[in-house]
Amino acid sequence: MRDSIKYDERNSVESMGKTAGIKNIIRGSVKFFVYKILFPGVYALGALRRIKKGKTVFAELHGRTLSDNFRLLKEEAEKQAGFQIREYYLDFQKDSLSYYRRCLGLLWEASDARYIFLNDSCNVLGAFRMRKGSQMIQTWHACGAFKKWGFSSADQEYGESREELMKYPYHRNYTLVTVSSPEVIWAYREAFQAPDSVVQALGVSRTDLYFRESFRQSAKKKYASQVPQGKGKKCILYAPTFRGAGGTADSPKILDYGYLKQKLGQDYIIIEKRHPFVKESLKPEVTWQDFAIGDCQMEIAELLCIADICVTDYSSVIFEYSLMERPMIFLAYDLEEYFDNRGFYYDYREFVPGPIVKSSEELVAAVRKIEEQPKEATERISGFRRKFMSSCDGHATERIWREVMKYGEPGK
């Protein structure tokens, strides 16, 4: 009887394995058809048309509104004659028939465009060989070079296999990649496997906002209106990156806000701004809801302008926050695990311009030390800014458009 049960279990496992194998074969066949036949075919068909002079496509892969990666670039284009601007929203996370219809729509829009802007990895826009006369400008969604991505993370737990990246490329059509400083050009060349001339330290367009007094003042007014409990207190911005991936992305739950209120509540409030991939915001408990805020509707750029201290872990917001030259603290409680999963371009402990802590108690101690030695807390920030953000000076948007226009005016 026992042998019979073992036999049935073995048959069941073998059957499940065969079923999984068949499903993988089907998925692989569908992917091959979509990315090697359907997508290139649609683009090739659309490319039979003439390129439309000045047609500019801003391809948003996540979300349904134009992100700050593109807003200033669009504004600059609208000031000039000859541009036909299209905003296209792919809604990258949705794997459904409607998603694939949107992919086909993006390919059709891109096939007769003069300029195509994107800010993330997109294998849809890498599924074809781009026609002569079009430009694809990768503005990327982060400054500097922190966590590894693209070919830099190939064959690691986080990344895809190198074989898969070669077979279904994301990055082969870029004519220009804009980065925040000459220091990080090497990392983008590695991640995108891009030719030397493609990656240029022209700056990051959205950082121009930080140099506008009107933007900074607007952020202060919005903060006073939305966060009245912050009046007379300093603001700590907690902006962690996400854990997990895709629809399962979550935010760390390491902080003891009750304890933090007890130790810091007289002098500070904390705003927790989670990564856009994380769908749920922090829900404060009654005992500390006047201290910790999780549903602030201000954008991250606005919060960076008003925060007195930024606490993060592995988020690229540190590059933009360095423009403020204010203190940072790094809550890296899972550093070894995160490194094994993702990897960094620089040695984390030498790279970050602030103290590394692993608990609420250590965070409080770091905040108090900043109060005692404010000059020491910002000394490393200045050097960090010069090294990683030297091309972000308030004029990145105009430099990017000037470089793009070298290869064809919108009306020509």
Side-chain angles (χ1 to χ4, degrees):
M1 181 68 174
R2 190 175 299 166
D3 290 341
S4 176
I5 291 173
K6 288 182 179 178
Y7 178 78
D8 289 342
E9 287 176 348
R10 186 165 59 250
N11 275 353
S12 177
V13 170
E14 290 175 356
S15 177
M16 289 171 63
K18 288 178 181 178
T19 301
I22 292 170
K23 286 182 178 179
N24 287 336
I25 291 171
I26 293 172
R27 286 195 202 97
S29 299
V30 170
K31 185 173 183 178
F32 182 89
F33 170 76
V34 168
Y35 285 91
K36 292 298 185 182
I37 299 173
L38 178 61
F39 285 176
V42 169
Y43 180 84
L45 183 63
L48 295 174
R49 302 171 296 171
R50 289 184 177 181
I51 289 177
K52 291 182 179 176
K53 296 177 181 178
K55 181 178 178 181
T56 304
V57 176
F58 291 102
E60 283 288 358
L61 309 182
H62 310 279
R64 302 295 296 172
T65 57
L66 199 68
S67 70
D68 56 4
N69 298 287
F70 293 148
R71 287 176 202 156
L72 297 186
L73 290 163
K74 181 187 175 186
E75 285 178 16
E76 187 68 24
E78 288 174 334
K79 294 176 185 176
Q80 305 177 42
F83 281 95
Q84 303 171 45
I85 297 171
R86 304 281 192 277
E87 299 173 21
Y88 200 90
Y89 300 95
L90 192 57
D91 206 359
F92 199 62
Q93 301 281 343
K94 307 294 183 182
D95 189 10
S96 64
L97 288 176
S98 61
Y99 166 72
Y100 288 109
R101 283 197 294 269
R102 290 194 297 276
C103 289
L104 297 177
L106 175 58
L107 290 163
W108 190 257
E109 287 284 5
S111 63
D112 67 345
R114 174 79 79 182
Y115 315 113
I116 306 157
F117 285 85
L118 68 162
N119 56 40
D120 209 332
S121 300
C122 182
N123 55 2
V124 179
L125 291 175
F128 53 85
R129 290 284 183 183
M130 191 169 63
R131 67 186 297 182
K132 188 177 180 181
S134 288
Q135 294 187 57
M136 190 175 293
I137 303 98
Q138 173 62 267
T139 61
W140 204 234
H141 57 275
C143 299
F146 199 158
K147 305 180 291 288
K148 290 186 175 182
W149 75 93
F151 280 90
S152 299
S153 62
D155 297 322
Q156 294 184 14
E157 184 178 341
Y158 173 83
E160 294 186 61
S161 69
R162 180 170 291 272
E163 181 182 357
E164 193 77 359
L165 288 172
M166 295 294 290
K167 187 175 182 179
Y168 300 107
Y170 287 75
H171 311 293
R172 68 178 174 184
N173 287 318
Y174 302 155
T175 55
L176 177 65
V177 176
T178 64
V179 300
S180 61
S181 124
E183 166 65 29
V184 300
I185 287 177
W186 72 271
Y188 285 78
R189 286 177 181 167
E190 177 185 292
F192 297 147
Q193 297 289 282
D196 291 355
S197 60
V198 167
V199 185
Q200 298 190 38
L202 303 175
V204 176
S205 173
R206 70 171 180 276
T207 63
D208 289 354
L209 281 174
Y210 299 119
F211 296 86
R212 295 182 179 180
E213 182 63 24
S214 59
F215 178 76
R216 296 195 297 271
Q217 291 302 320
S218 174
K220 288 180 181 179
K221 289 179 181 178
K222 191 177 289 190
Y223 175 72
S225 172
Q226 291 195 18
V227 192
Q229 61 268 54
K231 186 177 181 180
K233 295 184 177 183
K234 293 182 178 180
C235 175
I236 298 173
L237 172 63
Y238 177 42
T241 194
F242 66 96
R243 305 301 194 276
T248 62
D250 201 0
S251 199
K253 297 177 177 63
I254 186 69
L255 289 181
D256 182 342
Y257 282 110
Y259 173 81
L260 292 176
K261 180 184 177 181
Q262 179 187 350
K263 297 296 184 180
L264 299 173
Q266 285 190 330
D267 306 310
Y268 295 89
I269 64 158
I270 290 184
I271 295 177
E272 181 174 317
K273 189 69 171 178
R274 295 181 171 180
H275 191 280
F277 284 179
V278 181
K279 304 306 178 187
E280 291 189 4
S281 59
L282 172 71
K283 293 182 171 51
E285 295 179 9
V286 175
T287 54
W288 43 266
Q289 63 183 5
D290 59 339
F291 167 73
I293 299 153
D295 59 351
C296 182
Q297 298 305 303
M298 294 175 67
E299 294 187 358
I300 186 66
E302 296 170 325
L303 291 171
L304 292 175
C305 283
I306 60 91
D308 296 285
I309 299 174
C310 180
V311 178
T312 186
D313 43 22
Y314 321 110
S315 171
S316 293
V317 299
I318 65 171
F319 296 106
E320 289 171 64
Y321 193 65
S322 73
L323 296 174
M324 315 302 159
E325 298 202 342
R326 297 179 197 144
M328 301 183 214
I329 300 172
F330 294 84
L331 183 58
Y333 66 94
D334 58 349
L335 177 57
E336 288 75 20
E337 178 185 346
Y338 197 91
F339 176 79
D340 290 341
N341 173 262
R342 186 73 184 261
F344 306 114
Y345 284 106
Y346 297 86
D347 183 285
Y348 185 88
R349 290 180 175 84
E350 296 179 4
F351 162 75
V352 295
I356 299 171
V357 301
K358 295 192 174 185
S359 67
S360 296
E361 291 78 10
E362 291 182 9
L363 175 60
V364 169
V367 170
R368 294 308 184 195
K369 187 174 182 180
I370 287 171
E371 293 173 342
E372 294 167 4
Q373 301 173 330
K375 185 177 180 181
E376 182 180 319
T378 56
E379 279 180 347
R380 289 179 63 189
I381 305 290
S382 297
F384 183 89
R385 174 183 176 175
R386 287 193 299 272
K387 184 173 184 177
F388 292 104
M389 297 293 286
S390 60
S391 299
C392 296
D393 56 2
H395 303 285
T397 302
E398 58 190 77
R399 273 197 301 274
I400 292 168
W401 271 120
R402 192 160 57 240
E403 182 64 26
V404 169
M405 291 304 182
K406 285 182 181 179
Y407 305 99
E409 300 290 337
K412 293 182 180 179

